[in-house]
Amino acid sequence: MKTWNLDREGIVHEPPLPRQYGTELLVLKEGKGVYLWDVQGNKYLDFGSGIAVNALGYGREDIARIASDQMRRIVHTSNLYTTEPTLTLASKLIASGPFQAVHFGNSGTEANETALKYARLYARRKRGEGHHALLTFSHAFHGRTLGALSVTPTEAYREPFEPLLPGVEVCPYNDVEALKKTVNDRFAGIIVEVVQGEGGLEVMSREFAQALNELRDTFDLVLIADEVQTGLGRTGYLYASEAVGLLPDIITLAKPLAGGLPLSATLIPEKINSLLKVGDHGTTFGGGPVTTAVASYLWDTVSNPDFHKEVREKGEFLEAELESLRKEWSSGALLLSRVRGLGLLRGLEVEVEKGDMGEWMKKILQAARKEGVLVLRSGKNVIRIAPPLVISREEIREGIEKLRRALQSVASQM
Ligand code: PLP
């Protein structure tokens, strides 16, 4: 076996993984709370949560115990049968809104595939043929499988795999007039994010949410809120839809749902469930007893209104800290132009005087890692911060200080 080419900073070079992930990856070993350690013993404050997943932090004995207890009982049954953890979680999820059933899957993209299929099925069984168009928005991200990719307009993600699904149209995000001009009876459904997690952290306006609700009612469309990144407390609300008054028919969830284990959910109303026939859709692994037992436990924390209030308050604290960073960097070769996002999903928009934006963003993320804080990127030029939701104010301040030093080190290279 080839030994890995590991350096002192905990980076593996040319790993036996596809090059889509890059040729240098940090090798993490363990975590506790909001901190992570790599295989060389370097410590990091986690401002990324494994891309908005690890809501309750690392090293949780409670979660490990639930998963291992369930693994000793039964790990897998398939969807030819069901289990008590699956039923318990589904019951909790449907009680969170006007839903009648939950389709479980294993990833965000699958949750969205399911939602898109249900939208088409609903249109066809309710209105007949000719109403199959799907609407998505500029800078949206809904996943990497071919259906979800078809409603993800970013050219770089799509181009090698085209042609994708026909019948998809793209409208500018938050543009009410363009939306009203585009939507008509040809459409089966609309898929939309309340905060564009991968596309730059733009937040949906209340007017846009209102227009979406109205168009759904007018044309009997299926309105899908992709809350894969924003759902389950991340924005300081159970669902970000609540923050802007969006009233979706379907909500899709994944990332934090099962405490880091792969599980997704597509929450559907009676109007869709009543049209489904045996065999219309399915999955082998989705909603197994281990992932749902963990998710059911996690749900009791992330669905608690006191928890949401805390996230909102910490989110405002983070926003204020980011604002002060922005003011410090309001001119010069490296400039921070805007703070974006909601709750504990926030971003700092970066502008540079010259050079390649992508290269500078890479340098910022790398400098942050060297200072001991892991941050993410969103869109072309936004530093994304999505810490575990259990982070304290003190830890937020510590992360911001590390980010400040990282920005200073990158600016000094300009
Ligand atoms: N939808 C949104 C809003 C996302 O942010 C993501 C992932 O980043 C996905 C869908 C796809 O999720 P997954 O990577 O689990 O397939």
Side-chain angles (χ1 to χ4, degrees), residues 51 107-110 112 141-143 193 198 226 228-229 254-255:
I51 321 189
S107 62
T109 198
E110 270 180 85
N112 289 331
F141 184 86
H142 297 296
E193 296 158 275
E198 302 296 310
D226 175 349
V228 164
Q229 187 155 167
K255 289 182 181 287

Side-chain angles (χ1 to χ4, degrees), residues 255-288:
K255 289 182 181 287
L257 183 57
L261 295 176
L263 178 68
S264 65
T266 305
L267 278 52
I268 62 169
E270 188 273 337
K271 76 174 187 181
I272 293 173
N273 196 32
S274 62
L275 296 181
L276 294 177
K277 295 182 188 146
V278 172
D280 275 336
H281 189 50
T283 162
T284 297
F285 288 117

Side-chain angles (χ1 to χ4, degrees), residues 98-103 114-126 188-190 216 220-225 248-252 266-278 280-281:
F99 307 110
Q100 191 180 63
V102 187
H103 173 87
T114 303
L116 297 171
K117 285 181 75 179
Y118 285 160
R120 284 216 165 155
L121 179 148
Y122 178 78
R124 180 175 283 249
R125 293 205 173 142
K126 189 86 189 296
I190 302 177
R216 179 266 319 279
D220 195 15
L221 311 172
V222 174
L223 180 56
I224 304 160
D249 298 296
I250 294 182
I251 289 182
T252 59
T266 305
L267 278 52
I268 62 169
E270 188 273 337
K271 76 174 187 181
I272 293 173
N273 196 32
S274 62
L275 296 181
L276 294 177
K277 295 182 188 146
V278 172
D280 275 336
H281 189 50

Side-chain angles (χ1 to χ4, degrees), residues 232-255:
L232 306 172
R234 170 62 56 192
T235 66
Y237 298 84
L238 178 59
Y239 304 126
S241 298
E242 292 167 29
V244 297
L246 187 72
L247 301 171
D249 298 296
I250 294 182
I251 289 182
T252 59
L253 301 170
K255 289 182 181 287

Side-chain angles (χ1 to χ4, degrees), residues 26 43 88 135 155 171 201 215 219 332 383:
L26 179 62
K43 182 181 178 184
T88 303
L135 188 66
E155 200 47 36
C171 187
L201 298 171
L215 288 164
F219 296 105
I383 302 168

